[in-house]
Amino acid sequence: MTKIYQKLAIVGEVGAGKTQFIRTISEISPFATEAKSSVDIGKEFTTVGIDYGRLTLSEDIALGLYGLPGQKRFQLLWDMVKKGLWGLLVLVKFNDELNVKALDDVLDHFDPTKNQIPLVIGLTHSDLADTAGDVDLFIDVVNYALDQNNIHAPIVSLDPREVESSLMILQLFDALDHSMGIAMEEHRSVV
């Protein structure tokens, strides 16, 4: 029996939780491309290439997990995994100020609507918010960025350190993939 291989790109800014997400759910020892940061970024190491992990979804489907830096200067790496994506998970770290430009760059490059790539925005570190209202305001800014790119996508709180939280994201992608398949079939029957 031939295994179907799917790809999930996990893109995000420094400290958003890309490497941790992969470490949490990968069934193999992940390949991480972290290097010691030469500037103060709030943590000692940062991703400088493609992190990779893998997860068996069923007896005939394997999922490759590709962690990618969220800065535009890494778009060559984005191009390496962009083709044939099963999904795009953009991790956004809750803080006082969203880097809207970086989010726009990712959304513009991957163009999930045009390329029919299911997209989920994973909001990490929301547990550090002072109030639920702070999280709501942050989500409003993320929604504004999505609207500016004519993109509709779920925004879900995610703790990449927790298996259940991380696997819930994969279930969401599966539901989005299924609903996109139904929509494509309906479109084909109308045309």
Side-chain angles (χ1 to χ4, degrees), residues 66-138:
Y66 294 85
L68 304 165
Q71 299 82 12
K72 189 173 184 172
R73 69 179 181 267
F74 291 104
Q75 69 184 12
L76 176 65
L77 299 176
W78 299 350
D79 285 336
M80 292 173 69
V81 299
K82 180 179 175 181
K83 187 175 180 179
L85 283 178
W86 176 71
L88 173 63
L89 173 60
V90 177
L91 296 183
V92 178
K93 181 180 178 182
F94 174 83
N95 56 27
D96 294 332
E97 189 174 316
L98 174 68
N99 186 341
V100 175
K101 173 69 173 123
L103 180 57
D104 283 341
D105 289 341
V106 170
L107 296 174
D108 183 57
H109 189 85
F110 284 93
D111 200 354
T113 303
K114 178 183 172 194
N115 295 311
Q116 299 178 344
I117 303 168
L119 167 68
V120 173
I121 305 295
L123 178 60
T124 63
H125 299 85
S126 60
D127 57 317
L128 302 177
D130 292 331
T131 68
D134 292 342
V135 173
D136 291 342
L137 286 172
F138 194 82

